[in-house]
Amino acid sequence: MNTRHATHLLVVDDDAALRMMLRGVLELSDYRVSEADSRDAALRALAEANDIAVVVLDLGLPPHAHEISEGIATLQAIQDAILPVKVIVLTGQDQEAAALAAIREGAFDFLAKPASADAILRAVRRAELFLQKERELGAQGITRIAINAQISDGLKGVRVDAEERLVRQILKETGFNVNQSAKRLGVKRENIYYFLKKFGIERDA
């Protein structure tokens, strides 16, 4: 296997046997695989390896392995950090409720356990393709943002949420460079400082 240019994946599951099985399937298809068994371990792995492209996430994680809450919290943390990864959710829990919650929190794909090796590989390849296309759009100056909109909050609330997420994403993409961020957003430097104060954004956020 040539790992130098292989896509880096993270498998998050508290079942060591299942992690080993998934790792074997993925490595046989020339992917580089890291593992985590909890939310903290997953977020630590993502912080330490900035080249992880796809996360395969089991929703049933400790300390609530028989519920979806901890997996959803992990998904929320990944989305809040605006990480350039696609999350494929796996669950053996209430599939309808799990699918709805996962989609609401920005999951790229949803697979019910037990998922076949072919189904997992197809989902990973779809995620890779989407990431590639998003990078091509980024090279054209187009940034894709995802927000959850509560329609009852009205258009103003949706606009503010979209504005904040866009500002945070551009700052992250430019390494918090105010000049580059202002140029990308088509505003003055002073506007960036206004946004920082308005949204309470700090460099380490």
Side-chain angles (χ1 to χ4, degrees):
M1 178 177 69
N2 177 14
T3 60
R4 177 174 292 182
H5 300 296
T7 299
H8 192 179
L9 312 181
L10 174 64
V11 173
V12 186
D13 198 304
D14 64 331
D15 185 330
L18 183 56
R19 285 202 314 274
M20 184 181 298
M21 184 275 290
L22 287 172
R23 181 173 199 142
V25 166
L26 294 165
E27 287 184 341
L28 282 173
S29 295
D30 291 336
Y31 290 105
R32 189 157 50 97
V33 182
S34 293
E35 299 179 31
D37 60 2
S38 66
R39 177 183 9 167
D40 288 345
L43 297 178
R44 190 162 54 248
L46 286 163
E48 292 172 355
N50 61 10
D51 64 338
I52 292 174
V54 180
V55 178
V56 180
L57 171 66
D58 177 30
L59 292 185
L61 296 175
H64 306 294
H66 299 294
E67 303 174 9
I68 67 171
S69 57
E70 191 66 13
I72 292 298
T74 305
L75 178 56
Q76 289 172 331
I78 292 171
Q79 297 301 318
D80 288 346
I82 317 179
L83 298 174
V85 301
K86 295 297 181 191
V87 180
I88 299 166
V89 164
L90 291 174
T91 187
Q93 312 297 332
D94 182 339
Q95 293 176 16
E96 187 171 336
L100 179 61
I103 291 168
R104 183 186 296 121
E105 297 304 330
F108 173 77
D109 211 341
F110 175 91
L111 297 174
K113 288 183 175 180
S116 69
D118 283 346
I120 292 169
L121 286 170
R122 285 196 300 270
V124 168
R125 286 164 183 154
R126 284 195 300 271
E128 282 187 291
L129 178 60
F130 267 72
L131 279 171
Q132 177 190 338
K133 296 307 176 184
E134 285 180 359
R135 291 189 189 110
E136 291 174 5
L137 288 173
Q140 298 171 28
I142 299 170
T143 297
R144 180 181 177 274
I145 62 169
I147 62 167
N148 290 333
Q150 188 71 36
I151 301 303
S152 60
D153 293 339
L155 289 176
K156 184 176 180 181
V158 173
R159 183 185 64 78
V160 171
D161 286 348
E163 183 179 64
E164 178 179 358
R165 185 151 185 99
L166 179 60
V167 170
R168 287 182 181 274
Q169 189 158 326
I170 294 299
L171 284 166
K172 189 175 185 72
E173 289 175 1
T174 63
F176 220 88
N177 185 300
V178 172
N179 287 330
Q180 289 182 21
S181 297
K183 185 175 180 181
R184 288 275 303 274
L185 290 167
V187 299
K188 297 179 180 178
R189 278 173 51 98
E190 292 76 13
N191 293 115
I192 299 298
Y193 292 117
Y194 165 76
F195 288 135
L196 294 179
K197 184 176 181 181
K198 177 180 179 181
F199 299 127
I201 301 173
E202 298 179 1
R203 185 177 183 86
D204 292 334

